[in-house]
C-alpha cells in the first residue's frame, strides 16, 4: 500500500496594486452647496430664509476642507413638488454637471415633503457619489444605513404636509361658509384689491367687460368678439390678457361680474401633486349674493346665460362635421340665413385656392351631391354678395324707414332682453294649468279605481318638477318686465348703436344680418330675395 502525500495549505495576502493614476481631487477642497427653502412669503418665514442663507455661508466658509459651491434657495414655495422649485432644479442640474460634491440642508422637510421625490433624488445623487447631509436628523446619505432613516423621516414630512393641507382646506371651507370671497385679481378683468382688502372696480377694465356683454347680447358671436378685441391690441397694466375665445366665454359665464360669488367651484384632489378639478359634488358650494360691487346688472348676466344656452341648443346635435352641419350661431351670419332658391339647402362658405385665393358661397346640396340634386344654383363671390345685401338693407331703409327703425330697435331690444316676450309667459301659464288638470285627472282616476296614491308617485313628481321649472321661468320673465324703467335708460345707448350704423351704411356688418334678416333666397339668375323681420321682402341682384 502506497501512502499519498497531501500538500500543505498555505495562505498568502495579496495587496492591491498601487494606483499609478494621478488623483488631484484628493488634494482639493470638497465643493459643498447648501439648500434652503421657506414655504410662505410671511415676514417671519422670510427672516428664517435670510438666516438660513447666512448660517450656511458662514458654516461652509469655516471648514478648511470645504469650498462653497453655492447657496440654492427657494422662497415662498411648497416642498411637495420638486418640479415647481426652480432653485432646487438648478442645484440638481449643477450636480449632474459635476459642480457639486456635497449638499447640506436643514432637514428632510426642507429638502422635500414628498417621499418619492426625496428618495428618488437622493439615490440619483448617491449613485454619482454626491451626498446630502440633513442637519436636524443627522443623516448623511453616503452612510450605509441612511436610507432606512430617510424613508422614515421623509414619510413623516409628507404626512405633516398632508395634515397641513387638510387644515388649510378646512380653513378655506370655513371662510366659504361665512361667505368670504377670494378673488384672483391678476386673472380677473375689471377688479383690483382695494385699500380695505375688498374687491374694487377698475373703471377702464369694467368698460371692457360691459362691452363684451353688450356685443354678445346684440348678436355677435364669441369668436367675433374675441377677434375684435384682439385686433384692438388692448393692454391692461399689470395683467396679461389675450382676449381669446375661452377668455371671453369665461367672462360671460363669471357670476362675479354681477356682484355675486359661487364659492368652492374647484377642489384639490391631491395635496402632493396639487391636482385640482371641478367640484362635482364632492364638497358643498356656496352662492353669495351682493358679495362685492357689480360691474353689470344681475338681469344682464342672467340674459347672457339664457343666450348662451339658447345658442348651444341651436347648434348641430351630431358630432360628425359634415359640410351641411351649420349651427344657428356659426361663425358667419350668412350661414344661418342664405338658402338656395331651387332646392332649399343652406349655402356654405368655401375657399378656392386655384388661381389665387377667393372666397365664394355655394349650395351645400350641390357641393356634396352634385348637379343631379341641384342643377342651377349659382356660385356667389363673397364681396359681391356682401355688397348686394348692403344695398338691400339700404333699400329697405329708404322704402320704409319707420318700419326699418322699429325692426332694428325691436331686434336689439329682444337680443338684450329689454322687452321680454309676454306671449311666452301666457303660454307657460297655460301649460301649468294643463299640468295641474292632468294631476287632478290622475287623482280622480285613482280614487275611482281604488288605487294607492303611492303607485302614481313618479308621475306626480315628474309633473311637479315640470311645473316648478315653468314657474321659475315665469318669475324670471316677470322680473325682467319690472326692470322696464331701468331698461329705458339703455334705450339712448341702443339709439347710439343705430346712429353709428347709419354712418356706416355702405359697410357689411354680420351683426345687422343676425338681428334683422330672417332669410336670403338665392335664384339662378342672380336675384336675391332678402326677408327681414316680419316677412318684409326686398329684391336685389348680384
Amino acid at each position: 500500500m502506497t501512502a499519498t502525500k497531501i500538500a500543505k495549505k498555505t495562505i498568502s495576502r495579496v495587496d492591491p496594486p498601487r494606483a499609478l493614476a494621478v488623483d488631484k481631487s484628493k488634494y482639493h477642497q470638497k465643493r459643498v452647496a447648501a439648500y434652503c427653502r421657506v414655504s410662505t412669503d410671511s415676514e417671519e418665514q422670510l427672516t428664517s430664509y435670510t438666516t438660513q442663507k447666512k448660517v450656511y455661508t458662514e458654516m461652509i466658509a469655516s471648514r478648511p476642507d470645504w469650498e462653497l459651491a453655492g447657496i440654492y434657495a427657494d422662497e415662498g414655495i411648497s416642498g411637495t413638488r420638486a418640479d415647481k422649485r426652480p432653485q432646487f432644479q438648478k442645484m440638481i442640474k449643477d450636480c449632474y454637471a459635476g459642480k457639486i460634491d456635497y449638499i447640506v440642508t436643514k432637514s428632510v422637510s426642507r429638502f422635500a415633503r414628498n417621499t418619492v421625490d426625496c428618495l428618488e433624488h437622493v439615490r440619483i445623487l448617491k449613485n454619482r457619489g454626491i451626498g446630502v447631509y440633513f442637519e436636524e436628523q443627522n443623516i448623511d446619505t453616503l452612510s450605509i444605513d441612511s436610507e432606512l432613516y430617510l424613508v422614515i423621516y421623509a414619510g413623516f414630512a409628507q404626512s405633516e404636509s398632508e395634515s397641513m393641507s387638510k387644515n388649510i382646506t378646512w380653513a378655506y371651507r370655513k371662510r366659504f361658509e361665512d361667505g368670504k370671497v377670494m378673488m384672483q385679481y391678476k386673472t380677473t378683468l375689471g377688479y383690483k384689491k382695494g385699500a380695505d382688502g375688498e374687491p374694487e372696480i377698475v373703471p377702464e377694465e369694467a368698460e371692457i367687460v360691459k362691452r363684451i356683454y353688450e356685443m354678445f347680447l346684440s348678436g355677435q358671436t364669441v369668436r367675433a368678439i374675441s377677434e375684435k378685441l384682439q385686433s384692438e391690441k388692448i393692454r391692461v397694466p399689470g395683467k396679461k390678457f389675450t382676449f381669446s375665445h375661452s377668455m371671453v366665454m369665461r367672462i360671460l359665464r363669471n357670476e362675479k361680474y354681477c356682484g355675486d360669488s359661487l364659492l368652492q367651484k374647484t377642489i384639490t384632489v391631491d395635496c402632493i401633486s396639487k391636482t385640482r378639478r371641478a367640484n362635482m359634488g364632492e364638497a358643498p358650494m356656496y352662492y353669495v349674493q351682493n358679495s362685492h360691487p357689480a360691474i353689470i346688472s344681475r338681469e344682464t348676466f342672467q340674459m347672457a346665460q339664457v343666450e348662451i344656452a339658447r345658442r348651444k341648443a341651436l347648434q348641430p346635435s351630431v358630432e360628425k362635421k359634415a359640410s351641411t352641419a351649420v349651427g344657428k350661431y356659426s361663425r358667419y351670419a350668412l350661414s344661418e340665413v342664405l338658402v338656395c332658391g331651387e332646392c332649399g339647402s343652406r349655402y356654405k362658405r368655401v375657399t378656392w385656392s386655384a388661381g389665387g385665393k377667393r372666397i365664394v358661397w355655394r349650395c351645400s346640396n350641390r357641393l356634396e351631391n352634385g348637379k343631379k340634386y341641384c342643377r342651377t344654383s349659382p356660385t356667389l363671390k363673397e364681396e359681391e354678395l356682401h355688397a348686394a345685401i348692403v344695398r338691400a338693407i339700404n333699400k329697405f331703409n329708404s322704402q320704409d324707414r319707420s318700419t326699418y327703425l322699429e325692426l332694428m330697435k325691436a331686434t336689439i331690444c329682444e337680443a338684450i332682453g329689454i322687452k321680454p316676450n309676454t306671449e311666452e309667459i301666457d303660454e307657460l301659464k297655460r301649460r301649468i294649468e294643463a299640468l295641474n288638470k292632468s294631476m287632478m285627472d290622475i287623482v280622480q282616476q285613482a280614487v275611482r279605481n281604488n288605487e294607492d296614491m303611492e303607485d302614481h308617485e313618479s308621475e306626480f313628481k315628474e309633473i311637479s318638477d315640470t311645473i316648478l321649472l315653468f314657474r321659475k321661468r315665469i318669475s324670471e320673465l316677470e322680473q325682467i318686465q319690472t326692470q322696464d324703467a331701468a331698461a329705458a335708460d339703455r334705450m339712448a345707448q341702443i339709439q347710439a348703436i343705430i346712429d353709428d350704423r347709419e354712418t356706416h351704411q355702405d359697410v357689411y356688418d354680420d351683426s345687422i344680418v343676425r338681428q334683422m334678416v330672417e332669410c336670403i333666397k338665392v335664384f339662378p339668375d342672380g336675384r336675391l330675395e332678402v326677408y327681414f323681420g316680419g316677412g318684409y321682402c326686398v329684391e336685389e341682384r348680384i
Side-chain angles (χ1 to χ4, degrees), residues 249-352:
M249 183 55 76
R250 283 198 301 272
I251 289 173
L252 291 171
R253 289 186 179 277
N254 194 342
E255 76 289 339
K256 286 187 171 61
Y257 290 114
C258 68
D260 297 345
S261 296
L262 180 60
L263 307 180
Q264 200 156 245
K265 295 178 185 177
T266 61
I267 57 170
T268 301
V269 294
D270 183 4
C271 69
I272 302 301
S273 64
K274 307 294 185 186
T275 303
R276 292 188 68 82
R277 62 175 173 80
N279 183 358
M280 303 301 291
E282 294 86 351
M285 288 191 282
Y286 304 91
Y287 195 88
V288 185
Q289 287 192 341
N290 305 314
S291 59
H292 57 279
I295 292 177
I296 60 170
S297 68
R298 190 174 288 112
E299 291 75 22
T300 300
F301 177 76
Q302 292 298 335
M303 286 186 287
Q305 307 319 299
V306 171
E307 183 65 9
I308 290 170
R310 186 173 74 88
R311 295 186 188 187
K312 186 176 181 181
L314 290 168
Q315 290 175 350
S317 58
V318 294
E319 295 184 4
K320 181 182 177 182
K321 295 183 178 179
S323 59
T324 53
V326 181
K328 173 70 174 73
Y329 277 87
S330 57
R331 183 175 182 180
Y332 305 102
L334 292 177
S335 300
E336 306 157 15
V337 297
L338 198 63
V339 298
C340 177
E342 179 184 349
C343 68
S345 299
R346 292 176 183 266
Y347 260 66
K348 176 179 171 58
R349 191 175 189 264
V350 179
T351 301
W352 283 353

Side-chain angles (χ1 to χ4, degrees), residues 74-113:
D74 285 307
E75 176 184 346
I77 295 176
S78 168
T80 54
R81 289 183 59 179
D83 60 333
K84 297 296 183 181
R85 291 182 280 159
Q87 284 290 298
F88 183 86
Q89 291 297 319
K90 185 176 185 298
M91 179 181 70
I92 298 299
K93 288 180 181 177
D94 287 347
C95 289
Y96 292 165
K99 298 178 181 179
I100 298 173
D101 302 319
Y102 201 62
I103 298 172
V104 177
T105 188
K106 182 179 179 182
S107 67
V108 173
S109 63
R110 295 296 92 190
F111 191 77
R113 283 191 176 273

Side-chain angles (χ1 to χ4, degrees), residues 112-128:
R113 283 191 176 273
N114 183 333
T115 306
V116 174
D117 266 356
C118 182
L119 292 176
E120 180 183 357
H121 285 98
V122 163
R123 286 168 180 168
I124 291 173
L125 295 176
K126 187 175 181 179
N127 289 337
R128 291 174 174 266

